[in-house]
Amino acid sequence: MNFCSHCGQPVELRVPEGDHRPRYVCTGCGAVHYQNPKIVAGCVPEHEGRILLCRRAIEPRLGFWTIPAGFMENGETTQDAARRESLEEAHAEVEIGSLLAVVHVLHADQVHVMFRAKLPEPVFGPSPESLEVMLCEEAEIPWADMAFRSVDFALRRYLDDRRAGLERHHFTAIDLRSRGVR
């Protein structure tokens, strides 16, 4: 950040009075500009035991597989965002179920919130964001071509829970700055 979004004056990185972290502070009006994590919401849609996956038509990770997920918009819930992303990425009308996973993607300043979902009808298709969309059995999941570690984590927990007949909540943190999962 170089300039204040309130008055246009330059900002400087410093610890504001009463704070404990460096923030961008306007040299003109004194506004403090907080930078907080972005929320990504998604779901694991299932239809008759098969999972809906999308092959990405956009960067990052063009050509790799994912579940429907994307950045949450202002004015919507995480469930609404997951439902919207399924429609945008796979032309799929889903019913959002229980919370599946919360993944803190520390190196990207993001929190990924994933839900279980039902795909009542096998109606879906590619969109501008997806090269192809498929329903696949567990054995057909292209694990080596998964786009994101958060998706891999959520999908594996989903399948573990399905085998166990449970609906647990799963939490993890991924920080590629330290080249690992915390």
Side-chain angles (χ1 to χ4, degrees), residues 154-175:
L155 194 49
R156 288 181 190 277
R157 299 301 81 74
Y158 179 87
L159 295 168
D160 290 346
D161 284 358
R162 187 172 77 173
R163 281 190 290 279
L166 300 171
E167 288 193 8
R168 297 176 284 200
H169 300 144
H170 303 277
F171 302 88
T172 195
I174 299 170
D175 190 349

Side-chain angles (χ1 to χ4, degrees), residues 57-76:
I58 57 175
E59 292 291 356
R61 308 291 286 158
L62 173 74
F64 286 83
W65 291 93
T66 188
I67 57 176
F71 289 106
M72 188 173 166
E73 298 287 351
N74 290 334
E76 68 183 354

Side-chain angles (χ1 to χ4, degrees), residues 93-143:
E93 294 274 356
V94 300
E95 297 171 1
I96 300 298
S98 62
L99 177 66
L100 170 62
V102 175
V103 181
H104 305 277
V105 186
L106 300 173
H107 62 276
D109 297 325
Q110 297 173 1
V111 177
H112 296 191
V113 180
M114 307 298 187
F115 296 92
R116 294 170 181 87
K118 297 270 185 255
L119 178 64
E121 299 294 325
V123 177
F124 57 89
S127 74
E129 297 181 26
S130 299
L131 296 170
E132 63 182 297
V133 180
M134 70 173 172
L135 275 175
C136 62
E137 301 286 342
E138 181 175 352
E140 301 168 328
I141 295 173
W143 293 109

Side-chain angles (χ1 to χ4, degrees), residues 6-132:
H6 297 287
C7 72
Q9 294 298 308
V11 296
E12 63 183 15
L13 190 61
R14 64 179 167 87
V15 178
E17 185 177 330
D19 205 334
H20 63 285
R21 290 178 174 242
R23 313 283 186 186
Y24 288 104
V25 180
C26 179
T27 59
C29 71
V32 179
H33 298 277
Y34 296 92
Q35 295 180 315
N36 303 103
K38 291 181 171 54
I39 298 173
V40 170
C43 64
V44 179
E46 182 178 333
H47 177 77
E48 296 180 357
R50 296 180 298 160
I51 305 297
L52 185 71
L53 294 178
C54 305
R55 194 159 68 93
R56 294 180 58 81
I58 57 175
E59 292 291 356
R61 308 291 286 158
L62 173 74
F64 286 83
W65 291 93
T66 188
I67 57 176
F71 289 106
M72 188 173 166
E73 298 287 351
N74 290 334
E76 68 183 354
T77 67
T78 50
Q79 296 94 325
D80 290 341
R83 187 178 305 104
R84 175 184 50 76
E85 287 293 337
S86 293
L87 196 54
E88 287 179 4
E89 293 184 4
H91 297 296
E93 294 274 356
V94 300
E95 297 171 1
I96 300 298
S98 62
L99 177 66
L100 170 62
V102 175
V103 181
H104 305 277
V105 186
L106 300 173
H107 62 276
D109 297 325
Q110 297 173 1
V111 177
H112 296 191
V113 180
M114 307 298 187
F115 296 92
R116 294 170 181 87
K118 297 270 185 255
L119 178 64
E121 299 294 325
V123 177
F124 57 89
S127 74
E129 297 181 26
S130 299
L131 296 170
E132 63 182 297

